[in-house]
């Protein structure tokens, strides 16, 4: 019999609503609230040995304490799995469930969280399994059915798939297929021609939603930065910027110069023919025209450095980090806008 | 604000303000032009970029550079926007 | 039209006084080979064999060519480079299977590319299982890099033809009859291939009949023309995602369509397309390719690419253009999902045509062991460490490891 610890919030623990949202993590023996139904679904193979609950306002910030409580559960054979939720679309609760499950997973325990796909906490689970719940607590019963099924699969070390209601990030794991990609491609074409209009090996990617920045209010006084992913560096590439799969970005001063001479600058980007860029580096970084426009008063000033990386097979994670670092740096330096040239 | 040629990628990843350029290897140039004409083209790209920076957008929005004229570009011109990008994004997730 | 491949299996290799092929043993005369490779742009060349299982590595891998010939002097093989630029793809072609002529060394803009002959990376590259005649070179002091590149390309193709000539009188181990795709509709689905080629100018170009394919429009090609080397690679970016000449000669999607032709499908044809460097031309080429496929009566097309994210844009446009004309499109994609596999894996995905096959994750890390010997250079340029050392690399640097033409069995799955 496997031992499960169930994580829920103060509301489902029956302690209270918003008035109790600041309550700290608490350990209770056996199942509580929705855990009772969950325990029935899991019996007789598995049991809920304890419940940990915490107030929504503080839970996501005290995850280590919650994990300590889970580990303190005194039971024969130790804790086998941590289940969290269902959190439905509740943001704070979902975030806590995601973080508790992820932390338990990192601590070497099996873990699963339950929440709706639109719950803003979902991404925080990383690659720790999450199964879909309904949107609201009225959908508790089917949500618990699905969670119980997922717990069963995980405890039997069976794969938890989209067919079982799995949502959130699934790591793309590198494996060897039985057939070559060419053979599988022909098979897939015949499956599609046979009337299956959804078969694929790669689900469509999901990108971040970007909130547009507000317009620059007074451009005539604003400092604007030039930034590029076009791999433009001083000719000797002193910072050894990578030509592909960049892991870093660099900054070079341009405050003292009005233009970029061929031969003094070059692009080391490995993703396109750089002959044009090397002939006239302004084709990557428009410093000459930028200076003109400042002189004419079109905008206040140019930031004294430009930022550069190489956008060629660069991972989204690194690119996201560069973007965050650039934005923070420019904001700190007083720049109000950035013009990014991309190849 | 983004100056690039592959606007389909830029829109897909949600870049809010996009000015399309003429080729991947030369975002702020066009080697087919004389040096003077190329610099003028670069100037128009940057002027359009500055207009974009002063425009409210709610979704990936493409600011085409208009045909060459000596007149100042009309900053009131409605940018070309993608119809219903939210719907499109949802389809992409389906 | 039909092509007959006369396959000679190479089981042993060596260097010797004369170039001969006897009982599966290929002996190469270094003097003769150096004579063939001699060019004003090259101060010198060095030839070495590396065979599967050796504790050896090739770095800075450029192109690879399978030795083939159609007769004395090449008989028209590699048209536009070795033979005259006249249509090929029928008659007989001798193939030295199990061997490759490989150029390796520094060229500007070439991305560091690696082949291991043993260890975990060996199984990921087609060159991990072939006897490789590696050509290392010293450029002439006054030669431009363009001339060095051209000399290596022409020289390695000539050498490949010359090696195969040694087998002209040998009894082939296998004979393969390869009919051309038929324009006639029968009662089976008509499935064809679209092959995108990365054409971006110097050191990043692909040649059709000896000409840069860069500014061309899509065209139907007889698959036999690939066998005879009408498509030659001069593209040295994205090692795992490139299609060297060797892979065009052995195009896995084409070979699979040939294998299944007349069984569960009819091979409808092959369309090759450039990958232009701007959006408008990408759109034109994609729409044009879809029309060519429609004219050739494709019910479905297997679309392949060459290169990274920029090439994904060509894939998406082409697959959607096919879908608009009612042609099912299946794309072969390498994923760029980050080292932990959780990033968005496709830079530009199609919107209408969503059938994709995964050739693996570009960012997946591999631990490579130290080796006794390395050719192509002393240093592994990506990490600035000696080429013989043990190191960790992304799959992206292993030659053809994520072959867009579908050679490999590596894939990525949600898990």
């Amino acid at each position: 019999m496997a031992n499960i610890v169930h994580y829920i919030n103060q509301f489902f623990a029956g302690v209270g609503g918003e008035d109790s949202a600041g309550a700290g993590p608490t350990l209770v023996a056996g199942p509580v609230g929705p855990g009772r139904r969950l325990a029935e679904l899991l019996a007789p193979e598995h049991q809920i040995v304890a419940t940990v609950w915490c107030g929504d306002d503080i839970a996501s910030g005290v995850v280590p304490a919650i994990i300590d409580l889970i580990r303190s559960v005194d039971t024969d054979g130790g804790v086998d799995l941590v289940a969290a939720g269902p959190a439905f679309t509740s943001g704070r609760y979902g975030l806590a469930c995601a973080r508790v499950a992820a932390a338990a997973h990192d601590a070497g325990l099996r873990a699963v969280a339950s929440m709706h796909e639109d719950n803003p906490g979902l991404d925080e689970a990383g690659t720790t399994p999450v199964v879909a719940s309904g949107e609201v607590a009225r959908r508790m019963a089917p949500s618990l059915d699905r969670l119980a099924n997922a717990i069963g699969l995980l405890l039997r070390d069976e794969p938890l798939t989209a067919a079982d209601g799995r949502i959130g990030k699934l790591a793309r794991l590198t494996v060897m297929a039985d057939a070559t990609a060419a053979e599988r491609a022909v098979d897939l074409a015949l499956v599609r021609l046979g009337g299956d209009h959804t078969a694929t090996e790669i689900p469509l990617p999901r990108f971040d939603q970007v909130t547009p920045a507000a317009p620059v209010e007074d451009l005539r006084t604003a400092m604007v930065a030039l930034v590029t992913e076009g791999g433009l560096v001083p000719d000797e590439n002193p910072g050894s910027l990578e030509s592909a799969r960049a892991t870093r970005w660099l900054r070079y001063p341009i405050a003292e110069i009005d233009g970029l001479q061929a031969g003094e600058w070059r692009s080391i980007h490995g993703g396109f023919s750089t002959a044009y860029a090397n002939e006239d580096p302004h084709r990557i970084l428009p410093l000459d025209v930028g200076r003109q426009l400042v002189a004419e008063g079109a905008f206040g000033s140019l930031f004294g450095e430009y930022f550069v990386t190489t956008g060629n097979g660069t991972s989204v994670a690194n690119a996201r980090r560069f973007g965050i670092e650039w934005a923070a740096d420019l904001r700190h330096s007083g720049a109000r806008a950035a013009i990014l040239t991309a190849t | 604000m983004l100056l690039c040629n592959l606007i389909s990628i830029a829109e897909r990843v949600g870049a809010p303000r996009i000015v399309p350029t003429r080729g991947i290897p030369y975002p702020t140039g066009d080697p087919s032009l004389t040096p003077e004409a190329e610099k003028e083209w670069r100037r128009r790209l940057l002027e359009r970029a500055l207009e974009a920076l002063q425009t409210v957008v709610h979704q990936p929005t493409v600011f085409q550079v208009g045909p060459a004229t000596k007149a100042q570009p009309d900053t009131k011109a409605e940018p070309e926007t993608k119809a219903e990008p939210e719907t499109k994004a949802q389809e992409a997730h389906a | 039209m039909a092509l007959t491949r006369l396959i000679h299996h190479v089981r042993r290799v060596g260097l010797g006084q004369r170039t001969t092929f006897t009982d599966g043993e290929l002996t190469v005369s270094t003097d003769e080979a150096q004579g063939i490779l001699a060019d004003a742009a090259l101060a010198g060349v060095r030839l070495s064999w590396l065979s599967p299982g050796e504790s050896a590595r090739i770095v800075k891998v450029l192109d690879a060519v399978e030795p083939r010939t159609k007769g004395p002097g090449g008989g028209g093989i590699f048209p536009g480079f070795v033979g005259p630029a006249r249509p090929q793809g029928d008659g007989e072609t001798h193939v030295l299977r199990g061997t490759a002529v490989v150029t390796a060394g520094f060229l500007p803009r070439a991305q560091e590319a690696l082949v291991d002959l043993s260890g975990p990376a060996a199984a990921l590259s087609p060159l991990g299982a072939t006897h490789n005649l590696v050509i290392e070179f010293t450029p002439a002091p006054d030669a431009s890099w363009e001339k060095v590149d051209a000399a290596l390309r022409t020289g390695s193709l000539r050498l490949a033809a010359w090696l195969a000539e040694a087998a002209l009188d040998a009894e082939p181990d296998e004979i393969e009859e390869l009919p051309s795709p038929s324009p006639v509709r029968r009662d089976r689905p008509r499935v064809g291939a679209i092959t995108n080629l990365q054409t971006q100018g110097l050191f990043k170009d692909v040649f059709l009949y000896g000409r840069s394919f860069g500014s061309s429009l899509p065209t139907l090609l007889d698959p036999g023309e690939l066998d005879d080397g009408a498509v030659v690679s001069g593209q040295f970016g994205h090692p795992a995602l490139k299609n060297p000449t060797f892979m065009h000669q052995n195009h896995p999607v084409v070979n699979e369509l040939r294998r299944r032709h007349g069984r569960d499908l009819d091979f409808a044809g092959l369309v090759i397309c450039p990958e232009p460097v701007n959006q408008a031309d990408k759109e034109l080429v994609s729409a044009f390719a879809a029309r060519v496929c429609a004219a050739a009566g494709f019910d479905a097309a297997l679309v392949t690419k060459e290169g990274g994210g920029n090439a994904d844009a060509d894939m998406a446009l082409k697959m959607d253009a096919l879908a608009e004309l009612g042609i099912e499109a299946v794309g072969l994609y390498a994923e760029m999902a980050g080292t932990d596999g959780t990033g968005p894996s496709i830079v530009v995905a199609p919107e209408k045509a969503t059938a994709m096959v995964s050739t693996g994750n570009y960012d997946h890390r591999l631990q490579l062991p130290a080796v006794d010997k390395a050719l192509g250079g002393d240093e592994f340029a990506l990490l600035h460490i000696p080429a013989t050392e043990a190191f960790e690399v992304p799959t992206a640097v292993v030659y053809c490891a994520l072959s867009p033409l579908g050679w490999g069995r590596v894939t990525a799955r949600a898990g």
Side-chain angles (χ1 to χ4, degrees):
Chain A
M1 187 182 283
N3 297 324
I4 296 161
V5 175
H6 188 204
Y7 175 81
I8 54 177
N9 71 355
Q10 86 284 355
F11 176 78
F12 287 104
V15 174
E18 289 299 325
D19 52 319
S20 309
T26 306
L27 179 70
V28 185
V32 174
R36 295 200 181 92
R37 173 68 191 150
L38 187 60
E40 285 171 26
L41 293 168
L42 292 167
E45 290 92 346
H46 316 303
Q47 62 177 345
I48 294 178
V49 292
T51 303
V52 174
W53 66 266
C54 185
D56 274 341
D57 277 351
I58 66 160
S60 59
V62 295
V63 171
I66 293 170
I67 296 297
D68 286 346
L69 271 185
I70 291 170
R71 300 194 116 175
S72 75
V73 173
D74 187 19
T75 174
D76 285 347
V79 175
D80 297 298
L81 182 143
V82 175
F88 309 103
T89 50
S90 163
R92 289 171 301 173
Y93 187 20
L95 187 61
C97 286
R99 287 193 176 166
V100 166
H105 187 80
D106 288 347
L109 293 166
R110 290 191 190 83
V112 58
S114 163
M115 68 191 72
H116 189 265
E117 190 164 19
D118 292 339
N119 194 302
L122 177 59
D123 280 355
E124 293 282 324
T127 57
T128 303
V130 181
V131 285
S133 76
E135 218 167 338
V136 290
R138 216 172 338 111
R139 305 291 297 159
M140 181 65 87
S143 303
L144 288 175
D145 287 345
R146 188 172 266 172
L147 179 56
N149 179 59
I151 291 168
L153 288 169
L154 291 171
L155 288 170
R156 291 194 297 276
D157 287 322
E158 290 176 23
L160 182 64
T161 68
D164 306 307
R166 182 161 186 176
I167 54 172
K169 279 185 192 164
L170 289 179
R172 302 288 293 170
L173 302 179
T174 295
V175 292
M176 280 294 201
D178 296 333
T180 68
E183 290 162 351
R184 281 155 30 227
V186 175
D187 290 340
L188 181 55
L190 295 179
V191 165
R192 285 279 185 140
L193 286 172
D196 181 336
H197 300 302
T198 57
T200 186
E201 290 185 2
I202 309 177
L204 287 176
R206 191 172 149 166
F207 288 103
D208 296 344
Q209 295 294 316
V210 180
T211 306
V216 179
E217 280 181 9
D218 187 2
L219 201 59
R220 287 177 194 286
T221 61
M223 179 157 71
V224 176
L226 299 179
V227 298
T228 185
E229 58 75 73
L232 191 80
V233 293
D235 187 51
E236 296 298 316
N237 191 14
S240 300
L241 183 62
E242 303 105 319
S243 65
R245 298 179 306 279
T247 57
R248 61 183 178 276
W249 59 275
L250 300 169
R251 57 198 310 155
Y252 290 105
I254 48 173
E256 306 297 324
I257 52 176
D258 293 331
L260 305 168
Q261 302 306 316
E264 293 179 16
W265 305 82
R266 72 186 165 103
S267 169
I268 53 75
H269 198 292
F272 60 85
S273 178
T274 52
Y276 303 112
N278 298 342
E279 204 171 271
D280 182 359
H282 295 116
R283 289 168 175 160
I284 301 285
L285 199 78
L287 178 62
D288 55 346
V289 169
R291 285 267 178 264
Q292 271 185 8
L293 290 168
V294 170
E296 294 166 17
F299 61 100
S301 61
L302 269 177
F303 182 54
E305 296 174 308
Y306 77 95
F307 296 167
V308 58
T309 187
T310 298
N312 180 29
T314 303
S315 72
V316 173
N318 276 333
R320 186 182 287 132
R321 175 167 62 80
F322 301 161
I324 292 168
E325 289 170 356
W326 287 8
D329 194 294
L330 292 174
R331 182 180 284 269
H332 185 70
S333 307
R336 298 293 305 124
I339 294 176
L340 168 62
T341 54
T343 54
Chain B
M1 112 105 259
L2 178 66
L3 284 161
C4 73
N5 179 254
L6 295 178
I7 57 174
S8 54
I9 300 183
E11 288 179 309
R12 187 66 68 85
V13 300
R17 296 178 176 87
I18 306 161
V19 171
T21 66
R22 289 187 175 160
I24 293 170
Y26 35 82
T28 47
D30 180 352
S32 72
L33 303 174
T34 63
E36 297 73 29
E38 184 177 19
K39 194 167 178 185
E40 178 58 27
W41 165 243
R42 179 153 56 246
R43 186 185 171 93
R44 286 166 57 210
L45 283 171
L46 251 65
E47 286 173 344
R48 197 72 179 118
L50 296 177
E51 287 164 18
L53 285 171
Q54 297 172 87
T55 307
V56 177
V57 301
H58 303 288
Q59 60 206 39
T61 303
V62 175
F63 294 79
Q64 293 283 355
V65 176
T69 60
K70 283 290 160 198
Q72 281 296 304
D74 178 8
T75 53
K76 301 279 194 309
E78 274 298 300
E80 179 189 319
T81 62
K82 278 184 17 167
E84 312 222 0
E86 289 82 5
T87 311
K88 193 165 185 182
Q90 281 160 12
E91 279 170 11
H93 298 168
Chain C
M1 208 164 88
L3 180 75
T4 303
R5 278 198 300 221
L6 306 169
I7 311 287
H8 306 274
H9 288 291
V10 176
R11 286 181 284 270
R12 291 176 306 284
V13 294
L15 297 172
Q17 293 302 308
R18 287 176 51 245
T19 299
T20 57
F21 179 71
T22 318
D23 295 332
E25 177 159 11
L26 178 64
T27 305
V28 177
S29 154
T30 308
D31 287 348
E32 287 171 352
Q34 285 178 330
I36 287 167
L37 292 163
D39 189 288
L42 300 174
V45 294
R46 294 169 297 286
L47 290 148
S48 330
W49 281 109
L50 285 184
S51 292
E54 281 191 65
S55 174
R57 173 170 294 150
I58 319 173
V59 297
K60 299 177 179 54
V61 186
L62 300 170
D63 198 27
V65 186
E66 186 171 60
R68 293 189 177 194
T69 187
K70 297 179 76 65
I77 200 85
F78 304 118
F81 287 104
V82 177
R86 281 204 291 271
Q88 294 295 342
D90 54 1
E92 294 187 341
T93 301
H94 292 263
V95 179
L96 289 188
R97 183 61 44 86
T99 180
V101 173
V102 179
T103 43
F106 175 84
L107 279 185
R109 302 198 58 240
Q111 275 174 244
E112 180 63 281
L114 170 152
V115 169
D116 270 6
L117 278 302
S118 55
L124 300 181
S125 174
L127 300 189
T130 51
H131 298 283
N132 300 306
L133 183 59
V134 181
I135 304 171
E136 297 175 288
F137 57 95
T138 307
D142 53 346
S144 67
W145 285 113
E146 291 92 317
K147 291 229 164 84
V148 173
D149 175 33
L152 290 170
R153 179 157 41 256
T154 308
S156 59
L157 293 169
R158 280 197 195 124
L159 181 58
W162 165 252
L163 297 183
E165 204 164 318
L168 275 180
D169 297 326
E171 192 68 30
D173 296 302
E174 289 171 54
I175 298 176
E176 297 171 345
E177 300 284 351
L178 304 166
S180 294
S182 161
V184 181
R185 178 168 286 279
R186 300 189 189 79
D187 55 358
R188 285 178 288 269
R190 290 176 58 77
V191 183
I194 297 182
T195 296
N196 295 342
L197 305 171
Q198 184 139 57
T199 46
Q200 299 187 355
L202 207 53
F203 309 121
K204 230 171 163 152
D205 211 348
V206 181
F207 301 90
L208 176 64
Y209 283 98
R211 294 147 196 254
S212 165
F213 190 55
S215 55
S216 305
L217 286 170
T219 183
L220 269 171
L221 205 66
D222 190 281
E225 294 177 271
L226 289 182
D227 274 286
D228 285 349
V231 175
V232 166
S233 172
Q235 200 287 105
F236 309 124
H238 289 292
L241 299 176
K242 76 161 127 196
N243 305 323
T245 305
F246 183 96
M247 294 304 292
H248 291 300
Q249 295 171 290
N250 293 286
H251 194 307
V253 168
V254 163
N255 281 342
E256 180 64 8
L257 289 172
R258 282 168 162 167
R259 190 176 72 78
R260 291 167 75 156
H261 175 72
R263 291 161 61 178
D264 50 359
L265 56 83
D266 279 342
F267 186 5
L270 165 69
V271 174
I272 62 167
C273 310
E275 289 175 356
V277 292
N278 70 66
Q279 179 82 16
D281 286 345
K282 284 180 189 298
E283 289 174 12
L284 171 66
V285 164
S286 299
F288 197 102
R291 286 192 179 187
V292 173
C293 293
F298 283 34
D299 296 322
L302 308 173
V303 190
T304 67
K305 69 163 190 171
E306 179 164 32
N310 161 24
D312 280 5
D314 296 87
M315 292 287 287
L317 287 166
K318 211 155 280 151
M319 290 170 69
D320 284 340
L322 289 161
E324 271 178 30
L325 295 186
I327 299 169
E328 281 291 345
V330 173
L332 283 81
Y333 274 89
E335 302 185 50
M336 296 184 171
T339 51
D340 66 354
T342 59
S345 60
I346 307 285
V347 176
V348 199
E351 293 180 23
K352 301 185 185 77
T354 56
M356 294 182 270
V357 162
S358 169
T359 66
N361 180 9
Y362 186 84
D363 303 309
H364 178 72
R365 310 292 289 189
L366 297 167
Q367 305 290 338
L368 304 186
V371 291
D372 294 341
K373 176 162 70 168
L375 297 179
D378 297 331
E379 189 187 73
F380 180 63
L382 190 71
L383 301 170
H384 302 295
I385 59 175
T388 50
E389 283 191 10
F391 42 71
E392 183 186 286
V393 292
T395 309
V397 305
V398 179
Y399 202 72
C400 300
L402 307 159
S403 171
L405 298 184
W407 172 82
R409 291 194 295 113
V410 178
T411 191
R413 277 185 199 142

